[in-house]
Structure formats: structure tokens, C-alpha cells
Amino acid sequence: MDQPLPPAPAPAPEDLVALRRDLHAHPELGFEEHRTAAIVAARLRALGLEVVEGIAGTGVVGTLRGPGGNRAVGLRADMDALAMPEAVGAEARPWTSTVPGKMHACGHDGHTVMLLGAAERLAADPPSGTVHFIFQPAEEGRGGARKMVEEGLFERFPCDMVFGLHNMPGLAPDEMAVVEGPQLASSDSWTLALRGVGTHGAKPHLGRDPVTALGAFLSGLQSIVGRVVDPLQPAVVSACSVQAGDPRALNVIPDEVQVGGTARAYTPEVRDQLEAEIGRLAHGVAAAYGIAADYAFIRRIPPVVNDAGATEVAAAAAQVVGTGGVRRTFPPSTAGDDFAFFGQAAPGCYVWLGNGPARDGALHHNTGYDFCDEAIPTGVAWWTEVARRALA
């Protein structure tokens, strides 16, 4: 007996596709999303929603108050682009970025449009309760979520649950992944200046060489993850920037070298451990070489950890709309997302929606990346369904 074919994905609404491509062609960086925010606010007002602009500068919240019900849910989409060029020209991609050095290389144009589509559906058939549509600025490392929270987002718009969604290349555009627990790592930065005594390169005994000390520090850095952190706890420490000396003066040992990088973890305990152990290594190396160390650990984004209850709501919604299937196991990402600050303020869940195959290797933050418009119907349907289930 032949197996029934799975239902075909719904076609993407033409107006949402057109808007997504318009936003892609006009990318704006974090806290600069003035055009995008104005479009979002206008469309929300046209639906009859209460609209508040200017939260964290360019953030927008639209509120739909349905009849009855005393629960509220927050749905968050990010709006910002990245400071990088788009490599695909207008001949192959007519909606390519029109702004030099800026592009939507992470799909936030698609996230914005899908949440607007859900607002249209829910406004046409309001659920019992309150839905806050949260359009966040500056997700890409500029602190938009933290700023929204600090400006009283959840005091002004209380939420019983909050949900986030991100596209994921490699999954089908009608496929979703919804997993309890850690989904994204903390994203922190660290810096170190090793200050010695410069001297002639031929007479190192007359100074205190910070370059050699830096080599010892770098060679020991990976021992933190390999020999200090519990091997069952994922962690990453990377040195990403080194500045030392002058290539025009190759016979001069400099007074100072500077190094910096990133640290990633999935639990607060390992995050604390990385901060302490990088510092221990830095000061230990400095003491061994008789030089000074200035170390700083800058906490940027905590890990995204999905709440059990919110995850079950998100998964139930995905089972209804994910015609391509729902994955309940999916590896966490070492990338970060400041949705973590929302998840600390209310029980939250962050899910993945397929973006189709990674064409020519174009993953997130790649100059050839583009959002897959075929994912729009599933995203709109999931936002709509998760709001109803969270309020039920």
C-alpha cells in the first residue's frame, strides 16, 4: 500500500516576500534600524494594534489584546543587519543590498517579516489573552535585548512566556528543531595586555620580553578547555587578535603586547570558570616572566537555555505546522544570541526553522547568504500557533 505523501508547504504570500526582499535591499545596523522600525510600526498600526516605538532607540512593540484571558505572551524578532558586503550582485539577486558594506547576512529580514505575518493572522482572529510582538534592534553584538530589558520591557509588557525563532541552513524550510535546555552559548570577550621592558632584539637580557611571555600564554590557553573544564561540559576559548611590535622594526622587542578573544559556555558555572582560569593563566605567565598583566573579561551575552514548559508549548505548535517534521534533538550552537536576556526575564524557548540547503556554503554571516522565502509560511504559522497555545 502506498504511503500518503506529506502535505506540500504553503506558498509564501507575495506581499511578505516582497517586503522581505525590500528589507534585504535596505539593511540597517544595530540601533540604526530607523527605516525598518518605521515600516514595522506602520504595519502594526494598520492592524489596529497598540504600538510603542523608541524602546532601546529603534525597538518596536505592538500589543494585541484579545477578548478575555489573563495571560500574555511575547514573540520576538530581530531587525538588524551586519557590517559586511554582499557578494551576490543584482543580476543574480535583484534584491541584493543597496548599501555598501552592509547586508542581511543572518536572516533577520525574514524574521521580521514572519512575525509581521503572524501579527496579521492573530489580529484577524484574536486569541484569548495578550500578545506582545517585540521587534528588537541590535542583536548582532550591540546589546539590543539587554537595552530593551534595562529600559523596562518586561515591566511595561509583562509576559508569562517569551519565544524566539532563528533560521537554520541545512534544515528544510518547513522543518523545525525544538529542544529543551542549552541552545546557544554565552558570548563573552577577554583582553590581555602583557607589559614588559622593551629592548634591542639582539640584547634581550637587558629587558623583559612580553612577546615570549605571550607565546607561553597562547600555548597554555587551550589547556583550560582540555585540562580544567569538565570534559562533559562544552566550552570554547579562542585568541582572535594579537598586536605586538612593529613590522618595520624587526630588531626591537616591544614594551607591550596585546591579545584578545572570545569565550563560550553553556552553563553559568563553566562561564565563571573560563573567566577565572584565563585570568589565572595570564597572571601566572606574567609572574613567571617578570612582567605585568592587565586582564579583563567582558560579559556580553549569557547562554540561551530553553525552559522546559515553554519548550513543550513550542514543540506542540511546531508539530502542528512543521510539515517537514520536528526535531526534538538538535546540537546546540556555539554562536550567541541576546534573546538570552529575554529568557532570563520570563520562561522562554528559542527554536530553529529550516532555511533550506546552504547554497555554495553560504551559512550565516557569509557574504553570499540569503534568507529562504519558502520558510515564511511555516514561520508565520508557528508564531501564530505558539501564541495561541501559550495563552490557552
Side-chain angles (χ1 to χ4, degrees):
M1 187 177 196
D2 293 338
Q3 294 293 323
L5 294 174
E14 292 183 4
D15 65 320
L16 292 183
V17 172
L19 176 59
R20 203 285 298 178
R21 295 180 178 183
D22 174 78
L23 295 179
H24 189 94
H26 300 89
E28 297 173 299
L29 303 183
F31 298 125
E32 300 174 9
E33 307 95 330
H34 301 288
R35 180 182 184 274
T36 304
I39 291 171
V40 166
R43 291 182 74 108
L44 295 175
R45 284 197 180 95
L47 298 174
L49 274 61
E50 303 168 18
V51 178
V52 176
E53 299 179 75
I55 304 174
T58 48
V60 180
V61 176
T63 297
L64 172 65
R65 302 191 190 277
N70 58 4
R71 291 179 60 80
V73 62
L75 311 179
R76 173 270 206 171
D78 36 21
M79 302 186 293
D80 57 324
L82 284 150
M84 55 187 291
E86 186 156 7
V88 180
E91 300 81 11
R93 186 180 294 168
W95 54 92
T96 196
S97 173
T98 60
V99 185
K102 300 178 185 179
M103 76 167 289
H104 270 293
C106 206
H108 297 185
D109 47 348
H111 301 169
T112 298
V113 164
M114 288 188 292
L115 190 54
L116 285 172
E120 293 176 359
R121 285 198 188 180
L122 289 166
D125 183 15
S128 180
T130 299
V131 185
H132 299 300
F133 301 92
I134 304 167
F135 292 86
Q136 180 204 314
E139 185 278 325
E140 296 288 359
R142 297 192 175 194
R146 170 183 274 175
K147 190 168 178 60
M148 291 188 90
V149 171
E150 290 174 346
E151 292 188 8
L153 176 69
F154 288 96
E155 288 74 29
R156 299 170 68 180
F157 309 97
C159 296
D160 293 288
M161 288 184 177
V162 63
F163 295 91
L165 174 152
H166 204 289
N167 70 91
M168 175 55 70
L171 298 180
D174 58 347
E175 184 179 16
M176 301 188 70
V178 186
V179 183
E180 181 184 339
Q183 280 304 285
L184 293 128
S186 58
S187 179
D188 300 316
S189 300
W190 56 268
T191 61
L192 172 64
L194 294 172
R195 292 182 287 104
V197 177
T199 184
H200 197 295
K203 302 175 181 180
H205 62 291
L206 298 180
R208 294 285 184 178
D209 183 3
V211 176
T212 302
L214 174 64
F217 171 80
L218 292 175
S219 65
L221 193 61
Q222 295 310 315
S223 67
I224 295 172
V225 173
R227 287 295 178 267
V228 180
V229 175
D230 182 342
L232 299 180
Q233 294 290 333
V236 175
V237 177
S238 294
C240 302
S241 173
V242 174
Q243 299 179 40
D246 189 326
R248 298 167 300 178
L250 297 181
N251 59 351
V252 177
I253 294 174
D255 291 305
E256 179 177 312
V257 301
Q258 296 181 354
V259 59
T262 189
R264 308 288 170 117
Y266 293 100
T267 68
E269 294 77 17
V270 174
R271 192 185 192 194
D272 292 343
Q273 193 173 27
L274 295 181
E275 177 177 6
E277 294 299 330
I278 297 171
R280 188 197 306 273
L281 176 64
H283 291 295
V285 166
Y289 283 84
I291 62 177
D294 293 331
Y295 166 69
F297 190 91
I298 304 96
R299 293 186 173 232
R300 300 193 182 279
I301 303 173
V304 173
V305 182
N306 284 347
D307 172 80
T311 301
E312 289 309 307
V313 172
Q319 293 287 354
V320 172
V321 305
T323 57
V326 181
R327 299 192 186 193
R328 295 305 310 273
T329 59
F330 195 72
S333 170
T334 52
D337 192 303
D338 63 2
F339 177 82
F341 290 106
F342 293 172
Q344 290 181 336
C349 182
Y350 183 101
V351 308
W352 304 104
L353 170 64
N355 199 61
R359 296 179 178 86
D360 300 321
L363 297 169
H364 300 136
H365 295 215
N366 182 288
T367 57
Y369 175 86
D370 193 20
F371 181 82
C372 176
D373 291 325
E374 294 174 14
I376 291 176
T378 303
V380 170
W382 181 79
W383 278 127
T384 304
E385 184 68 17
V386 81
R388 295 191 185 282
R389 288 178 177 268
L391 295 174

